[in-house]
Amino acid sequence: WESPVLGAWGLGWEVWLDGMEVTQFTYFQQCGSLKVTPTAVEITYGLERILMSLQGVDHFKDIRYNDHLTYGEMLAQNEYEMSVYNMEAASVVGWQKRFELADEEANAMLARRLPLPAFDNLLKASHAFNILDARGAVGVTERQKLFASMRKLARESAKLWVTRREELGFPLGEWEIAAIGDPVVSKRPPPTEAADFFIELGTEELPAADVDACAAQMLGAIKATLDASGLTHEGVTVGATPRRTVVRVAKLAAAQSSGEERLRGPPQSRAFEKDGVTPTKAVLGFCNKNGIGPEDLEKDGEYVWANVVTVGVGAVDVFREALPGVIGGLNFPKTMRWNSEETFSRPVRWLLAMHGEHHIPFVAAGVPSGDTTRLMRNSATPVVAVTGAAHHATLLAGELIEISMDKRRDAIWRGAVALAESVNGVVPPSSGEPGGLLDEVVNLVEAATPILGSFKPEFLALPKEVLVIVMRKHQRYFPVEDPATGELLPHFITIANGAVDHDAVRLGNESVLTARYQDAQFFYAADTKKTLADFKPSLEGITFQTKLGTMLDKTKRLELLAPLLAKQLGFSPQDASIAKQAASLAKADLATSLVTEFTSLAGVMGAHYARREGLDSTLCDAIFEAVLPRSAGDQLPQSRAGITVAVADRFDTLVGLFAVVGAPKATADPFGLRRAAYGAVQALVASNTRCDARLALSEAASLQPVKVAETVVNEVMEYITRRLEQYLVDGGCGVEAVRAALAERGDDPAFAAATAIELDTLVKRKGSDSDELKTAMAVLARPTKLVRGKDLPFDLEVRPGSFETAEETALYDAYVAARESLGDAASASVGDLLQASSSLAEPVEQFFDKVFVMADDPELRRNRLALVNAVASLPKGIVDFAELPGF
């Protein structure tokens, strides 16, 4: 949970009751951008959902308020009226004024050193912001500005409050960290023979991604410990669930091997004083280091020697020392504190490590190790003492807890597929692909219990995308499709955790989904009363960025830019016309109720509403493709109009925000400029669409409501080039080949990409296959090195009449022929360049062997430099060989 407005965030977990979230338990980490110490906890209850479960009703309106009235009869009209007010009727201008007044009052209270009234007015400003947001009146960039203002107020209010409490002497007292308890004292001795070892790290539920990360890191750390200690074993495995990570070592040796080693000490001449008996400091240090006395040393006339017996350390001792570091070394993207300064992904609640029947004592993350594990929360015995690795495995199996992530994944998928088949459906294969829903769900449960649920067929009238996003994103349900048509069936599959009442959980999940679909149905009905174009004027109420205007202003810029860009991209007048229409409508769905509620449906709903009213299919495709790509790995625009609008939108965003906000920092990109640049690059390169990006950016800059200097356009172009470099390198291209292509063709992303790929293929050739590139580089290297760094005139011209040697004439004639065979450098390939360069090999060699370029005669020297410069410039506009190694 986080509130950027309040500079507050916390981590924790949700409690679900029969498929419905009823409680959130949040450990607050920060408020007003200050660390919350001690950690504060907030428990919130969804009382209506709890009552729904207790009363057995499937809609909040049916909750019995008392013996005579339902919740709906008492409060439904209230909720309806406030919903209409918040989403449709509230005055945008009025609430903007309320925000400004609250913001002003909060600052005034800070000046009076009154932190609570200041914070109270901050909350009023926050409420005003929420109303404006619900009305769709806050664009992405304007949001950042308002957030920054409220964060500042929150930070200053919090700091002032702490200062004031300190001035009062902290009357409520000061917190002290509680002492850590003692770790387990084992009742059984360490094993004397090889025995199974395991370590169990028990936590509150980890986020799905952190389960994978924790398992991988713990496995690596335990393996590293084993390698460093030399302890023998028969294999290491790891398993993990949201609540536990378990690493097992089969047949771990009882101790390290013992042995004897002969060690060389200092030279004998330096080992003893002049009397030959008294040991020197050097030899005493050698003896102390190896645990022997001087009398144990042996002499060979040159050095002193020690025979040292090494006694193997017991495995229990090795791991007692190592395990705190293993746990303490685990890293996560976001960590939290719970009752001390120790941090972890979520609170560590128990630690258990055993070798054979011996419990290993240690302390990590502020938690002492014990002799128990925890089973399912609803188990008859949720906490159980463990006597060994086999017993631990048996206990987990008895509760159907599957710690193998692969086995759990297979079980979930097989169960989901079987349930889908029971209603003549299939689970979409995309759900089981890497990065799909299955990868998340597998780490949300310990004991997977697939349950089939249903919803009313009438909801299938809603767009499929709406139904799926609610199921996948909000509820983590697997959709069920008709295998013949790919259309949705009125069923879903949820994965419960452990032994549950199937009917109760099914009903609870169905109730939640029904409520969400009813909301979507309400929004969809409201949206479809209008055409897509009818929503366009409402974009006037959504601020894009204060200095850059509203979303309507941005739309008008795109209407002008799109046809200009389409022409530059070489597309037809018809494509340009469609692109202009798409630009006019591409943002309109931002004002619809469904997109306001489900922001990820932007573009999707625009295209859907356009199709619904019968607009041209090519136009509908372009409206959707304008938002592509939305994230890494997303689909890319395919139609010419779609490519045009997608690139135009991103170029408009980049030049505008670079001009008024500046480039993103390495650690912060609040306006998504990196994503915008990357998206433009992907759209152009993937479609192999030639584009003079610098010219297009200049055209976008000319349409901005603020002055955009040429230096800003250059800065944006450089930023896009760096994103293109990363895109190509990530795709497998060598960085040197990429930079060589970008140095000359970076302004045309698609052409630069094709050039980089061609050059990279040549660079990676081996043996005789690489001779052509090596020859060209050798031919061009000497001329390039000679003129590099020299301040040559821009209009340096070769004058054949000034030649004095046959070698000059021969090189010039070969250069002219090579230039003619190469043709226009703006369209030549690397292969063309290599072929043209090959004819220069002998003339270049003869020229440099017999001609002195830096002659005393000024005209002769100038003319020879002009000739050398002409040859060195042959690759210009194609590649810069100086970026390649060995040039």
Side-chain angles (χ1 to χ4, degrees):
W1 178 92
E2 63 181 343
S3 172
V5 167
L6 302 178
W9 67 273
L11 298 177
W13 34 267
E14 300 170 352
V15 178
W16 284 48
L17 174 64
D18 299 339
M20 295 187 292
E21 179 194 343
V22 296
T23 297
Q24 286 188 354
F25 192 101
T26 307
Y27 298 89
F28 273 86
Q29 304 294 299
Q30 197 175 71
C31 186
S33 301
L34 301 183
K35 185 169 74 172
V36 177
T37 305
T39 304
V41 173
E42 178 192 64
I43 305 177
T44 58
Y45 293 101
L47 296 179
E48 291 88 352
R49 291 184 175 182
I50 295 173
L51 285 171
M52 285 170 61
S53 178
L54 292 174
Q55 295 184 6
V57 297
D58 60 6
H59 197 286
F60 75 89
K61 290 189 293 186
D62 297 324
I63 295 172
R64 293 186 299 279
Y65 192 84
N66 56 30
D67 292 340
H68 309 289
L69 296 171
T70 65
Y71 187 98
E73 291 168 333
M74 284 287 294
L75 299 171
Q77 182 63 21
N78 300 18
E79 295 208 8
Y80 167 76
E81 292 182 8
M82 291 309 299
S83 295
V84 172
Y85 175 75
N86 290 333
M87 303 193 69
E88 297 178 9
S91 167
V92 170
V93 173
W95 280 101
Q96 286 172 336
K97 289 180 180 177
R98 287 183 177 91
F99 181 92
E100 293 169 1
L101 288 171
D103 184 83
E104 181 181 344
E105 187 73 356
N107 279 295
M109 292 304 99
L110 287 172
R112 293 284 303 273
R113 299 191 79 236
L114 298 172
L116 289 180
F119 196 78
D120 182 61
N121 278 279
L122 164 61
L123 295 179
K124 291 176 181 177
S126 176
H127 178 62
F129 172 86
N130 291 337
I131 297 292
L132 292 170
D133 198 28
R135 292 285 284 115
V138 184
V140 174
T141 51
E142 181 67 7
R143 178 186 302 270
Q144 296 303 320
K145 175 192 170 186
L146 298 181
F147 272 19
S149 173
M150 291 185 284
R151 270 197 301 267
K152 174 177 174 290
L153 289 174
R155 183 171 58 252
E156 293 183 0
S157 297
K159 287 182 177 179
L160 180 58
W161 187 85
V162 171
T163 299
R164 297 288 281 157
R165 301 304 290 180
E166 186 176 14
E167 290 171 357
L168 295 171
F170 294 117
L172 299 183
E174 297 184 56
W175 177 62
E176 294 182 1
I177 298 176
I180 299 173
D182 295 327
V184 63
V185 176
S186 184
K187 298 176 181 177
R188 307 284 294 184
T192 56
E193 297 180 350
D196 291 341
F197 163 91
F198 77 95
I199 164 72
E200 180 180 55
L201 165 65
T203 64
E204 291 180 9
E205 282 73 0
L206 300 181
D210 287 0
V211 175
D212 291 326
C214 188
Q217 292 180 72
M218 275 192 68
L219 177 64
I222 294 297
K223 284 184 173 180
T225 299
L226 292 168
D227 291 343
S229 65
L231 288 166
T232 60
H233 57 88
E234 295 183 6
V236 187
T237 58
V238 67
T241 74
R243 289 187 75 200
R244 74 193 73 237
T245 304
V246 180
V247 179
R248 291 171 173 161
V249 182
K251 298 298 181 183
L252 176 65
Q256 299 167 330
S257 299
S258 299
E260 184 173 328
E261 188 176 5
R262 184 172 172 81
L263 301 176
R264 189 181 72 180
Q268 191 170 324
S269 60
R270 292 173 46 215
F272 300 96
E273 301 291 354
K274 293 181 181 180
D275 60 7
V277 176
T278 305
T280 62
K281 290 183 178 180
V283 83
L284 287 174
F286 173 72
C287 292
N288 290 336
K289 177 183 176 182
N290 293 290
I292 61 172
E295 67 277 5
D296 298 320
L297 294 172
E298 296 181 2
K299 307 171 188 175
D300 65 359
E302 188 173 0
Y303 292 95
V304 296
W305 295 82
N307 294 315
V308 179
V309 176
T310 57
V311 178
V313 178
V316 166
D317 294 325
V318 169
F319 277 100
R320 183 172 58 240
E321 294 296 321
L323 289 176
V326 169
I327 305 300
L330 301 176
N331 295 307
F332 302 94
K334 201 159 194 174
T335 58
M336 58 167 284
R337 295 166 289 106
W338 58 101
N339 61 2
S340 69
E341 292 302 310
E342 299 287 348
T343 61
F344 206 75
S345 171
R346 292 296 186 276
V348 176
R349 289 306 182 198
W350 78 95
L351 295 169
L352 172 63
M354 296 189 71
H355 189 198
E357 297 179 345
H358 182 82
H359 295 91
I360 301 176
F362 68 100
V363 175
V367 177
S369 65
D371 60 0
T372 61
T373 188
R374 301 190 188 185
L375 305 178
M376 301 300 294
R377 295 183 188 275
N378 59 354
S379 171
T381 52
V383 179
V384 182
V386 181
T387 60
H391 183 222
H392 180 260
T394 299
L395 288 170
L396 298 187
E399 293 277 321
L400 301 180
I401 295 173
E402 179 55 75
I403 64 170
S404 167
M405 291 177 282
D406 289 337
K407 290 181 180 179
R408 204 163 61 246
R409 179 180 286 104
D410 291 343
I412 291 171
W413 188 250
R414 281 187 282 102
V417 167
L419 287 175
E421 289 176 349
S422 72
V423 290
N424 299 316
V426 295
V427 179
S430 60
S431 297
E433 293 173 355
L437 180 62
L438 180 60
D439 279 353
E440 180 179 9
V441 171
V442 73
N443 287 337
L444 294 178
V445 295
E446 291 199 293
T449 304
I451 295 175
L452 178 69
S454 302
F455 56 88
K456 294 178 181 179
E458 66 186 61
F459 291 128
L460 293 174
L462 289 168
K464 179 180 179 180
E465 295 86 354
V466 175
L467 299 173
V468 170
I469 197 172
V470 171
M471 279 192 271
R472 285 184 173 173
K473 184 176 180 180
H474 293 274
Q475 296 300 122
R476 276 71 172 182
Y477 297 161
F478 292 100
V480 179
E481 293 180 347
D482 184 322
T485 65
E487 295 300 316
L488 287 178
L489 295 176
H491 304 287
F492 64 89
I493 297 160
T494 185
I495 309 299
N497 192 32
V500 297
D501 182 330
H502 285 226
D503 290 337
V505 172
R506 180 184 298 108
L507 178 62
N509 281 277
E510 289 175 347
S511 298
V512 172
L513 190 61
T514 295
R516 289 192 180 275
Y517 281 171
Q518 286 175 335
D519 288 344
Q521 201 173 44
F522 173 81
F523 296 139
Y524 186 68
D527 288 346
T528 51
K529 291 176 182 177
K530 303 179 181 179
T531 67
L532 185 60
D534 289 338
F535 289 101
K536 183 179 173 182
S538 298
L539 296 177
E540 181 68 36
I542 304 177
T543 303
F544 172 60
Q545 201 277 338
T546 306
K547 295 181 180 179
L548 301 178
T550 66
M551 279 295 181
L552 183 60
D553 296 323
K554 182 175 175 64
T555 294
K556 290 177 179 177
R557 292 197 296 273
L558 294 181
E559 289 178 48
L560 296 172
L561 181 59
L564 294 174
L565 182 60
K567 183 178 180 180
Q568 196 222 101
L569 298 179
F571 296 159
S572 70
Q574 183 181 3
D575 292 325
S577 176
I578 296 172
K580 182 175 182 178
Q581 296 174 62
S584 176
L585 296 174
K587 303 292 183 185
D589 66 354
L590 295 178
T592 65
S593 297
L594 259 177
V595 173
T596 301
E597 180 70 13
F598 304 109
T599 55
S600 60
L601 290 177
V604 174
M605 294 315 302
H608 174 86
Y609 291 144
R611 286 192 176 89
R612 192 176 185 278
E613 61 185 83
L615 298 184
D616 182 79
S617 61
T618 307
L619 173 59
C620 297
D621 290 341
I623 290 171
F624 169 61
E625 292 175 340
V627 303
L628 301 179
R630 293 159 294 190
S631 59
D634 195 13
Q635 56 187 309
L636 298 171
Q638 301 295 319
S639 71
R640 291 180 172 184
I643 293 167
T644 301
V645 182
V647 174
D649 184 21
R650 286 157 176 79
F651 280 4
D652 174 84
T653 295
L654 287 164
V655 295
L657 289 173
F658 263 68
V660 300
V661 178
K665 296 180 175 59
T667 57
D669 183 17
F671 304 112
L673 296 180
R674 189 174 292 107
R675 184 172 62 250
Y678 211 75
V681 163
Q682 287 179 287
L684 292 169
V685 172
S687 62
N688 195 28
T689 301
R690 298 286 302 273
C691 173
D692 185 339
R694 190 179 298 276
L695 174 60
L697 289 170
S698 295
E699 290 174 338
S702 69
L703 299 173
Q704 298 300 313
V706 296
K707 180 176 176 56
V708 181
E710 185 178 352
T711 54
V712 172
V713 173
N714 293 337
E715 189 180 359
V716 176
M717 189 66 247
E718 175 63 18
Y719 188 75
I720 290 174
T721 302
R722 297 285 70 82
R723 303 288 78 70
L724 174 58
E725 177 182 325
Q726 188 62 53
Y727 175 68
L728 294 172
V729 171
D730 288 346
C733 248
V735 66
E736 294 90 355
V738 170
R739 289 174 179 169
L742 293 183
E744 295 296 331
R745 291 178 167 173
D747 286 3
D748 187 342
F751 199 31
T755 303
I757 293 169
E758 182 187 8
L759 180 59
D760 186 57
T761 301
L762 293 167
V763 168
K764 291 175 179 175
R765 285 180 177 175
K766 304 295 182 183
S768 59
D769 290 340
S770 64
D771 289 349
E772 197 176 14
L773 177 61
K774 291 178 180 177
T775 298
M777 291 177 64
V779 165
L780 296 167
R782 289 188 71 180
T784 301
K785 290 175 182 176
L786 183 62
V787 298
R788 183 184 294 158
K790 287 186 168 56
D791 187 18
L792 302 176
F794 175 73
D795 58 347
L796 193 62
E797 180 185 359
V798 179
R799 298 170 184 165
S802 297
F803 291 154
E804 288 192 351
T805 67
E807 288 78 14
E808 290 173 276
T809 301
L811 178 57
Y812 180 70
D813 291 342
Y815 162 74
V816 171
R819 172 57 69 188
E820 289 178 352
S821 70
L822 184 61
D824 184 7
S827 59
S829 68
V830 179
D832 295 335
L833 174 62
L834 300 189
Q835 186 175 0
S837 302
S838 63
S839 62
L840 293 171
E842 186 173 344
V844 164
E845 184 176 357
Q846 292 294 320
F847 176 85
F848 281 104
D849 283 349
K850 299 182 179 180
V851 175
F852 180 57
V853 176
M854 304 305 290
D856 293 334
D857 181 82
E859 169 57 21
L860 192 59
R861 181 171 64 249
R862 185 210 62 77
N863 201 48
R864 287 174 178 175
L865 281 172
L867 176 57
V868 171
N869 186 60
V871 174
S873 300
L874 196 63
K876 191 164 185 61
I878 305 173
V879 294
D880 181 2
F881 281 132
E883 295 288 348
L884 298 182
F887 185 76

